[in-house]
Amino acid sequence: MPTPTPAARIDTVRRFNRFYTRQIGVLQEHLLASPFSLTEARVLYELARHDDTTARALGTELQLDAGYLSRILDTFRTRGLLERAPSATDGRQRLLRLTRRGRQAFATIDGQSTRSVRALLRPLADEAQARLIDSMRTIEATLDAQQPTPPAYVLRSPRPGDMGWVVQRHGAIYAREYAWDATFEALVAEIVAKFIRQFDPKHERCWIAERDGLNVGCVFLVRKTRTVGQLRLLLVEPSARGLGIGARLVEECSRFARRVGYRRIVLWTNSVLHAARRIYEAAGYRLTEEDRHHSFGKHLVGQNWELNL
């Protein structure tokens, strides 16, 4: 027999539901000041997502009563948003597709939804946004037995403001996870400043990992000598770990280094950074030297690693 769910947990879920529906405006008669109810907007979204679909497929996807869905589709047809066409493979099926007016209606409500969410997130700092998005993913993954694949991330070149983010996130994360003091953040700031001032576009790169519009990782490859590149400032946000972003960033450094003619990549790290060391080892780096030092308010063991290309 399953364990009974405590009443306090049920109350918490119900309280969250009331809070969130109020936040996103579901309690209004029409969604986002549009002429559509929440259910109608959801049906419109599914129709826009498929070039052709059927009423049965829509009902299965949305778990809607067939009669209720039929009335919504009839309303859409009356308003000139939807058209039906016979299936080329099954004469019993009618394919549903949005008309030009229907796609315009969807584009309007989709834009309104984007602006509404942007307004919801705008007052929050990047770290708070990342926590919120991570919590939403946790709710989705926990309640969905299918365990969907996590949303993709992209690697891109830095934009204005990204370098400040690199410095701030290194300082904040290393202080929280390793209790390193502000001298580490100062070191990162010096590395970033040198990269900006002396940037060699033919032989140096910075990659920013972005997910759901938020920065979640970074790495730099800088020129040490004519034949040696140096990997620096590898970082992955806690909310994005486990997705392979760190390994991908290191791989991009190796690919770029080979392309520009480096024969070797070197890097310096510390023994306490276990996750980073595992990434370097998996990429083929080998440990060449260790030395004890006192830095960032801690007794540490520094390590030099290198990769022959």
Side-chain angles (χ1 to χ4, degrees):
M1 293 291 292
T3 303
T5 303
R9 294 182 181 177
I10 295 173
D11 290 343
T12 298
V13 172
R14 294 182 64 187
R15 183 171 62 250
F16 173 80
N17 288 342
R18 292 193 297 270
F19 166 79
Y20 193 63
T21 52
R22 184 175 67 250
Q23 285 289 317
I24 63 175
V26 171
L27 298 181
Q28 300 170 8
E29 181 179 357
H30 298 105
L31 184 67
L32 300 169
S34 75
F36 303 103
S37 68
L38 176 62
T39 306
E40 289 172 336
R42 188 72 174 86
V43 172
L44 193 67
Y45 172 83
E46 289 300 325
L47 288 167
R49 203 162 64 92
H50 301 91
D51 289 334
D52 290 305
T53 189
T54 65
R56 178 179 296 179
L58 273 177
T60 300
E61 173 71 21
L62 299 175
Q63 299 182 8
L64 284 177
D65 173 76
Y68 181 31
L69 176 60
S70 179
R71 290 192 292 275
I72 291 176
L73 296 177
D74 286 342
T75 300
F76 283 0
R77 287 187 65 200
T78 301
R79 293 160 68 175
L81 307 177
L82 179 71
E83 61 184 7
R84 289 190 174 109
S87 170
T89 58
D90 186 350
R92 297 169 300 178
Q93 293 280 2
R94 290 284 179 175
L95 299 179
L96 307 176
R97 64 184 64 139
L98 291 179
T99 62
R100 182 177 179 181
R101 180 182 294 180
R103 293 198 171 275
Q104 290 174 340
F106 169 73
T108 298
I109 195 171
D110 191 50
Q112 290 170 336
S113 179
T114 297
R115 290 189 291 273
S116 176
V117 173
R118 184 177 289 118
L120 183 70
L121 295 176
R122 187 181 297 119
L124 305 178
D126 281 352
E127 187 173 2
Q129 289 186 16
R131 285 200 308 271
L132 178 63
I133 297 300
D134 195 46
S135 297
M136 288 177 169
R137 290 198 192 102
T138 299
I139 292 172
E140 182 180 1
T142 302
L143 295 180
D144 188 351
Q146 304 269 327
Q147 294 294 325
T149 303
Y153 60 88
V154 296
L155 300 188
R156 58 169 177 78
S157 300
R159 299 169 183 155
D162 283 337
M163 294 303 179
W165 173 85
V166 170
V167 176
Q168 189 272 332
R169 294 310 295 150
H170 271 82
I173 290 174
Y174 278 79
R176 183 172 66 243
E177 297 185 356
Y178 301 100
W180 288 7
D181 64 23
T183 58
F184 175 68
E185 189 169 354
L187 173 64
V188 176
E190 290 167 2
I191 294 170
V192 168
K194 182 179 179 181
F195 178 84
I196 295 172
R197 293 192 182 107
Q198 302 180 13
F199 178 54
D200 177 358
K202 291 184 178 180
H203 301 95
E204 298 182 325
R205 282 289 186 277
C206 166
W207 291 267
I208 300 293
E210 182 180 294
R211 186 172 183 233
D212 291 333
L214 299 176
N215 293 353
V216 294
C218 65
V219 74
F220 291 67
L221 187 74
V222 301
R223 183 173 183 173
K224 189 171 180 66
T225 70
R226 185 176 62 83
T227 59
V228 179
Q230 184 176 10
L231 187 153
R232 312 203 78 171
L233 302 182
L234 174 66
L235 180 76
V236 178
E237 285 280 355
S239 63
R241 292 172 186 168
L243 302 177
I245 294 176
R248 173 76 186 284
L249 289 167
V250 170
E251 179 186 350
E252 288 299 317
C253 288
S254 301
R255 183 179 294 115
F256 175 77
R258 291 188 180 96
R259 188 168 74 245
V260 300
Y262 288 130
R263 297 176 186 172
R264 187 160 46 103
I265 301 176
V266 299
L267 65 88
W268 178 79
T269 187
N270 285 277
S271 61
V272 296
L273 306 182
H274 302 295
R277 288 172 52 207
R278 287 194 293 270
I279 291 173
Y280 302 141
E281 288 176 326
Y285 284 78
R286 63 184 182 90
L287 178 63
T288 60
E289 185 180 7
E290 287 188 313
D291 68 293
R292 297 183 181 277
H293 64 102
H294 185 85
S295 302
F296 322 132
K298 296 290 180 179
H299 294 294
L300 300 169
V301 177
Q303 296 181 331
N304 290 316
W305 293 71
E306 65 178 38
L307 173 69
N308 291 322
L309 300 172

